[in-house]
Amino acid sequence: MYDIFADLRSVVAETARRTLGVEIDRAPVDFPPNPSMGDLATPLALSLAKQLRRPPREIATKLAEALAAAPGVAAAEIAGPGFVNLRVDRTEAVRALLGERPAEAPKPGKVIVEHTNINPNKAAHIGHLRNAVLGDTLVRALRALGRRVEVQNYIDDTGVQVADVAVALTELAGLDENGFRALVAAAEERRARGGHGVDHDLWDWYAKVTRWYAEDESRAALRAEALRQMERGEGPLARMGALVAREVSRCHLRTMGRLGVRYDVLPRESDILAHHFWKTAFARLKESGAISFCEEGKAAGCWVMNLPHSEEEAGGEEYEKIIVRSNGVVTYVGKDIAYQLWKFGLLGADFEYRPVEGFPGGTDGTLWESAPPSAGAAGAPSFGRGETVYNVIDVRQSYLQRVVKQGLERLGHSDEAGRSIHFSYEMVALTPGTALELQPGLELSEEERRRPYIDMSGRRGIGVKADDLIDILEAKALREVSTRNPELDEEAQRGLAAAIARGALRYYMLRFARNTIVAFDIDAALAFEGETGPYCQYAAVRVRRIVEKLAEREGTTPAAIRAAARDASFAAIPADVAPEHWELVHRAARLPEAARMAVENLEFSTLAKYAFDLAQAINGFYHRHPVLREPDEAVRAARLAVLLVAENALVAVLDLMGVPTPERM
């Protein structure tokens, strides 16, 4: 993303140094409340008045005189008590925004973003999609802003959910390891015919074992035994759990791949134990007094961390959070503390790694996963050692994320605790109509049908597999695509439908504030009108069609038309409509600012709103100021250049959100 306004900020700082003799790291420059006042405004003269012991307007006059001759500046005007309003050279700005710009050099320090982290015991559900979309959008925005980002997807392969499925397969299904492999093989054959993997089979087995436990409390002993075996890494239930986690996690990768989500590394919880990360962390927690052994009460025999509740919890009294149970099994929050220490490079150790065959990765194209000791690949890269860590986990985990942060604090890592950021978000529900469409046999009362959304409920069987939702979105999009584009072959139609479905789903997950429950509605998400992904995609496609028609008319290529637009002069646009043309350029040029604000506030609904507003502005602009029907060649070229600047920004912001821009709609 080329940021012409960042360039102007640098010009202001350099001008202040040269003309006033002051050193400024970042000049205070902002957007005026009204575009008619200028493109940017700086209150620098006001802030320097005391330091230089001179009247603000006198300083502003000197600054304005120097800035008026600076590169890229068309005019500099004094306003109010000492503001300097800047107007950019519009022709040069349009050319710069259309030109090829070198990629920004990465800023120092690595950012780690952990997201998705689905329990590998059954198919992903619709709620997991919001996590992955938010996390992936954060990654894309950070990279666009010049940050070096490592994407981690934590595989909890020793947790209770995997233990339960291992018990279900051995006790209820009567399968051994070979029997499970046969189940996987059958699922792969089904997938080759357009179905889904073994994770969909396990969805039902997980529900069955949950009911089975409820029928007889003594059966919980099998769960405890499975957890013990999995922690030790030996025994039939441990081996079954490892197989389940491996196969299901690969199913999840395929599901997320349908949305364009990629990862760099998959750290596995079992390897936190196998490489003694938890053992090291446990020793440090005990030595520092961060945790203590509980002799009596409900937590007798456990290692606990005494933590104050937040203000809304129990009046601020201390609460004993169990880190290690009385049977010696560490809770997942204990392993999370060890994991967080490793992310910051505070354990003095690393995993071994091996490539995950058949799945694309992030930075170097290879997806890596942690490996048991002595099982890693030679020459594998290292991971972790981040400067800042984002954990994308839903709001229900806020307390446990505070426990992890408190663990770092009590071990003396206050700086790292401060750079440990919980990116929380609310849950996903379904509108009543979508709930009934996805689950036709579902019974809803009249009152429930009038509600804005229906909560997911395992007890009532209200739970939607992510793949099933994507399938329905693609099927509906395909019906629209085949009607609009009957000349395309089936493969092209399906590819286009997949791009529209991905855009619809990702945009819908982003358009609501993260602290708002998303009531997912299939028809609303796929609509070609309103604040939707398809509407934004369609605006970009329309500009592409204008370029294609111009190319056909002039007997050249779309690439040649785009290249020629860089030579257009903004001055050719008639004065009476020039402000509206510049407003579109100005709006498009603010994309880097919109991306920065979204990352700073961890609020990507603002990025979705920016995309929608820009798409609306593009649609309104070319209806009022047509390009193809403009008779004046110079005006047509300048108008097209303006439209291409806006299209570039729209395609870029959609890419930040992981929304593809199809060739046609």
Side-chain angles (χ1 to χ4, degrees):
M1 295 183 296
Y2 173 48
D3 191 345
I4 61 172
F5 299 125
D7 280 0
L8 281 177
R9 290 183 176 95
S10 298
V11 166
V12 171
E14 172 59 21
T15 302
R17 185 195 64 77
R18 192 178 65 253
T19 61
L20 302 173
V22 294
E23 295 291 341
I24 301 171
D25 291 333
R26 192 173 188 273
V29 179
D30 212 335
F31 296 97
N34 188 329
S36 66
M37 299 170 64
D39 300 313
L40 284 178
T42 177
L44 184 58
L46 297 169
S47 61
L48 290 177
K50 186 174 182 181
Q51 177 184 341
L52 298 178
R53 298 183 179 181
R54 291 157 64 183
R57 282 188 66 90
E58 180 184 324
I59 299 172
T61 300
K62 197 165 185 178
L63 268 177
E65 290 173 354
L67 285 168
V73 176
E77 305 158 354
I78 303 170
F83 291 95
V84 178
N85 293 340
L86 303 175
R87 300 182 189 278
V88 305
D89 183 317
R90 295 181 175 183
T91 294
E92 288 303 314
V94 170
R95 287 176 180 170
L97 288 164
L98 288 178
E100 295 292 331
R101 304 288 300 187
E104 278 193 69
K107 294 178 173 61
K110 182 202 291 185
V111 178
I112 290 175
V113 178
E114 179 209 342
H115 69 81
T116 304
N117 39 45
I118 308 167
N119 288 317
N121 66 317
K122 58 184 175 67
H125 60 64
I126 185 174
H128 295 131
L129 296 177
R130 191 177 196 190
N131 183 303
V133 169
L134 286 170
D136 187 58
T137 303
L138 172 61
V139 169
R140 290 166 181 261
L142 284 168
R143 285 176 173 162
L145 294 171
R147 298 309 304 268
R148 182 162 61 98
V149 185
E150 178 177 295
V151 191
Q152 299 182 5
N153 178 5
Y154 183 64
I155 308 299
D156 181 4
D157 59 348
T158 64
V160 66
Q161 290 83 1
V162 174
D164 285 350
V165 171
V167 170
L169 292 172
T170 55
E171 295 295 320
L172 302 187
L175 299 178
D176 58 11
E177 294 161 50
N178 288 331
F180 177 67
R181 290 188 181 96
L183 184 66
V184 171
E188 288 303 295
E189 289 180 9
R190 181 180 66 218
R191 193 169 68 85
R193 299 191 301 271
H196 295 295
V198 73
D199 56 331
H200 283 237
D201 298 315
L202 298 182
W203 180 284
D204 296 327
W205 282 111
Y206 184 68
K208 288 175 183 176
V209 78
T210 301
R211 293 192 295 270
W212 186 71
Y213 282 134
E215 291 167 2
D216 186 345
E217 292 183 2
S218 68
R219 291 169 178 167
L222 273 171
R223 171 190 282 166
E225 176 58 24
L227 286 169
R228 279 193 292 271
Q229 288 188 26
M230 289 162 60
E231 183 163 334
R232 292 195 304 268
E234 55 187 37
L237 289 171
R239 290 191 295 272
M240 181 65 83
L243 282 173
V244 166
R246 180 188 184 281
E247 295 300 331
V248 173
S249 63
R250 278 144 178 76
C251 291
H252 292 165
L253 290 174
R254 284 194 292 265
T255 300
M256 297 306 157
R258 299 177 74 181
L259 298 182
V261 177
R262 299 286 184 267
Y263 312 94
D264 295 307
V265 63
L266 312 178
R268 300 188 310 163
E269 189 170 270
S270 58
D271 292 322
I272 285 180
L273 300 172
H275 286 275
H276 305 300
F277 287 5
W278 163 245
K279 184 178 180 181
T280 301
F282 188 32
R284 292 184 188 177
L285 289 166
K286 288 188 290 186
E287 289 169 10
S288 68
I291 61 175
S292 58
F293 188 74
C294 193
E295 300 282 358
E296 55 187 21
K298 292 182 179 179
C302 302
W303 286 90
V304 301
M305 184 183 292
N306 290 321
L307 293 165
H309 283 288
S310 61
E311 291 181 5
E312 67 272 14
E313 295 171 320
E317 295 179 4
E318 285 207 326
Y319 172 71
E320 295 175 336
K321 178 59 189 172
I322 295 174
I323 306 299
V324 181
R325 298 187 181 94
S326 58
N327 61 3
V329 174
V330 57
T331 61
Y332 73 87
V333 72
K335 286 174 277 193
D336 278 356
I337 292 172
Y339 179 35
Q340 197 76 351
L341 289 167
W342 168 78
K343 287 179 186 173
F344 282 109
L346 298 174
L347 285 179
D350 198 1
F351 295 106
E352 294 181 34
Y353 302 96
R354 59 192 175 196
V356 181
E357 302 296 340
F359 294 95
T363 307
D364 67 351
T366 302
L367 175 62
W368 297 89
E369 67 178 352
S370 64
S374 303
S382 62
F383 294 94
R385 301 181 183 277
E387 179 188 69
T388 303
V389 173
Y390 291 90
N391 295 328
V392 186
I393 306 176
D394 71 67
V395 70
R396 296 173 302 177
Q397 303 297 316
S398 294
Y399 179 68
L400 294 178
Q401 282 295 298
R402 292 202 302 271
V403 174
V404 171
K405 201 166 185 175
Q406 189 66 233
L408 267 63
E409 287 272 8
R410 294 191 180 185
L411 287 171
H413 304 301
S414 297
D415 289 345
E416 287 81 3
R419 298 194 301 272
S420 181
I421 301 166
H422 177 203
F423 183 179
S424 64
Y425 60 92
E426 264 293 355
M427 307 308 295
V428 180
L430 301 171
T431 60
T434 293
L436 291 169
E437 182 172 0
L438 290 171
Q439 296 181 288
L442 183 65
E443 294 183 3
L444 295 180
S445 67
E446 286 303 315
E447 180 189 353
E448 287 176 319
R449 290 169 185 263
R450 291 192 296 270
R451 290 178 185 172
Y453 60 82
I454 302 296
D455 287 318
M456 302 289 178
S457 170
R459 181 178 56 83
R460 294 184 60 190
I462 306 176
V464 178
K465 302 180 186 73
D467 284 317
D468 290 346
L469 174 63
I470 298 171
D471 287 346
I472 290 177
L473 285 168
E474 289 183 355
K476 287 199 165 198
L478 181 59
R479 288 195 288 273
E480 185 73 20
V481 166
S482 59
T483 300
R484 292 172 179 244
N485 302 278
E487 75 284 0
L488 294 180
D489 61 35
E490 183 180 350
E491 183 179 357
Q493 288 180 347
R494 288 189 178 279
L496 186 52
I500 294 171
R502 179 194 295 186
L505 194 154
R506 290 192 62 132
Y507 189 95
Y508 202 88
M509 289 295 182
L510 292 170
R511 64 170 283 203
F512 300 96
R514 64 187 174 104
N515 60 357
T516 302
I517 293 174
V518 172
F520 196 88
D521 186 279
I522 289 176
D523 292 332
L526 274 173
F528 276 60
E529 294 295 332
E531 194 173 348
T532 69
Y535 176 83
C536 295
Q537 289 173 311
Y538 198 50
V541 169
R542 277 178 163 172
V543 178
R544 289 183 176 181
R545 289 296 297 144
I546 290 172
V547 173
E548 289 170 3
K549 289 179 180 178
L550 269 177
E552 290 170 8
R553 193 168 76 185
E554 298 182 14
T556 185
T557 65
I561 293 292
R562 290 176 180 274
R566 298 173 191 164
D567 296 326
S569 172
F570 192 90
I573 297 172
D576 61 328
V577 293
E580 189 173 357
H581 285 63
W582 178 246
E583 161 59 25
L584 186 58
V585 174
H586 197 270
R587 183 188 296 272
R590 295 183 69 164
L591 171 58
E593 185 73 14
R596 270 194 296 272
M597 292 300 295
V599 169
E600 286 177 12
N601 298 321
L602 290 180
E603 187 52 83
F604 291 103
S605 62
T606 60
L607 205 58
K609 186 67 164 60
Y610 172 87
F612 173 63
D613 289 345
L614 183 57
Q616 276 191 314
I618 289 172
N619 287 336
F621 177 84
Y622 70 63
H623 281 305
R624 289 187 298 275
H625 308 290
V627 173
L628 294 170
R629 297 199 305 272
E630 174 54 53
D632 187 296
E633 185 177 348
V635 174
R636 184 170 66 247
R639 187 165 291 162
L640 177 64
V642 167
L643 204 51
L644 291 179
V645 166
E647 180 221 16
N648 285 352
L650 180 57
V651 170
V653 69
L654 291 178
D655 185 62
L656 290 184
M657 297 188 295
V659 175
T661 305
E663 289 302 316
R664 60 177 71 196
M665 292 284 279

